[in-house]
């Protein structure tokens, strides 16, 4: 058996070239990731600036001028609108539901009862449908509100000047300026 030093040398050089090529690609990846991170951070800052101008500066200026909307010379339409968000936390759920019921708004509360059966329990499911709790299977009961319905209720009541306990319902409002360009 003879030792081929030249072939061994070539194999070692090929491995060295491959390792250097891999290292170059790792460095390239790190540069791309770094560029993306910087771009995302810049985008966050731009969105924050947009939201400040759209939600605070322009609405305040228009309010001080007594304007709700404005048509510009180029035909564009500028409008400030207020949107509302609401969320009932677990801690406030009982208080919120009681308030809704006491104020004749209990219809927005959904009360769901469900029972789960296994694959081979069709007969049991049919019996349960007939007898409800007669099979000693306890249903799961869940009361919940639909977020879109709650949001609409909050907007409707606030805009009509009606009572709406904002702390119980986690109400948040924000202004937004929209610009519709003429075509």
């Amino acid at each position: 058996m003879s030792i081929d030093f030249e072939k061994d040398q070539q194999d070692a050089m090929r491995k060295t070239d491959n390792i250097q090529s891999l290292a170059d690609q790792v460095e390239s990846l790190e540069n791309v990731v770094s560029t993306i991170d910087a771009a995302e951070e810049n985008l966050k800052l731009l969105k924050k600036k947009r939201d400040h101008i759209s939600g605070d500066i322009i609405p305040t200026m228009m309010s001080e001028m007594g304007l709700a909307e404005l048509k510009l010379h180029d035909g564009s339409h500028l409008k400030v609108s207020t949107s509302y968000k609401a969320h009932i936390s677990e801690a406030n759920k009982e208080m919120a539901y009681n308030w809704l019921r006491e104020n004749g708004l209990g219809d927005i509360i959904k009360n769901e009862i469900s029972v789960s059966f296994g694959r081979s329990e069709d007969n049991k499911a049919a019996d349960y449908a007939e007898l409800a709790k007669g099979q000693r299977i306890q249903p799961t009961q869940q009361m919940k509100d639909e977020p879109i319905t709650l949001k609409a209720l909050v907007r409707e009541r606030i805009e009509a000047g009606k009572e709406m306990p904002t702390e119980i319902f986690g109400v948040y409002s924000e202004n937004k300026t929209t610009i519709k360009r003429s075509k």
Side-chain angles (χ1 to χ4, degrees):
M1 180 185 270
S2 69
I3 298 175
D4 188 347
F5 290 111
E6 191 173 316
K7 184 178 182 293
D8 289 347
Q9 177 97 14
Q10 288 173 350
D11 287 347
M13 286 175 61
R14 234 180 274 121
K15 285 181 183 173
T16 301
D17 288 346
N18 286 343
I19 289 172
Q20 185 57 50
S21 180
L22 176 60
D24 292 344
Q25 292 306 314
V26 168
E27 186 177 336
S28 179
L29 175 61
E30 287 175 336
N31 288 335
V32 170
V33 168
S34 200
T35 302
I36 290 170
D37 289 347
E40 286 177 344
E41 187 60 35
N42 190 41
L43 183 60
K44 271 190 218 174
L45 292 172
L46 288 171
K47 285 182 177 183
K48 197 173 192 176
K49 186 174 183 177
R50 174 206 57 200
D51 292 347
H52 178 65
I53 294 168
S54 171
D56 295 329
I57 294 174
I58 291 175
T60 299
M61 291 175 78
M62 288 183 66
S63 177
E64 288 171 354
M65 298 167 144
L67 300 172
E69 50 188 282
L70 180 67
K71 263 204 168 169
L72 304 175
H73 288 309
D74 68 357
S76 298
H77 185 249
L78 182 72
K79 183 178 180 183
V80 174
S81 57
T82 303
S83 67
Y84 298 93
K85 295 177 180 162
H87 170 73
I88 301 173
S89 68
E90 278 302 316
N92 290 339
K93 195 169 263 192
E94 188 176 339
M95 277 191 301
Y97 287 178
N98 287 339
W99 187 90
L100 288 167
R101 287 182 186 108
E102 290 165 8
N103 287 276
L105 302 166
D107 288 353
I108 75 162
I109 303 167
K110 305 292 183 230
N111 194 344
E112 295 179 353
I113 296 177
S114 63
V115 179
S116 296
F117 295 92
R119 289 182 186 189
S120 62
E121 295 182 312
D122 289 346
N123 292 339
K124 216 180 220 185
D127 291 344
Y128 191 80
E130 293 288 323
L131 305 172
K133 294 182 183 180
Q135 295 278 322
R136 287 190 279 160
I137 299 171
Q138 292 299 313
T140 301
Q141 182 175 11
Q142 179 183 12
M143 290 193 299
K144 64 180 186 173
D145 53 275
E146 295 297 329
I148 293 172
T149 307
L150 180 62
K151 179 181 167 181
L153 173 73
V154 167
R155 184 186 70 245
E156 178 185 303
R157 290 188 66 84
I158 289 176
E159 289 179 357
K162 294 180 180 176
E163 179 194 4
M164 190 75 214
T166 55
E167 64 284 347
I168 294 174
F169 291 93
V171 175
Y172 170 76
S173 66
E174 66 181 354
N175 292 321
K176 182 178 181 183
T177 303
T178 53
I179 302 172
K180 290 186 180 174
R181 301 274 181 214
S182 62
K183 294 182 179 182

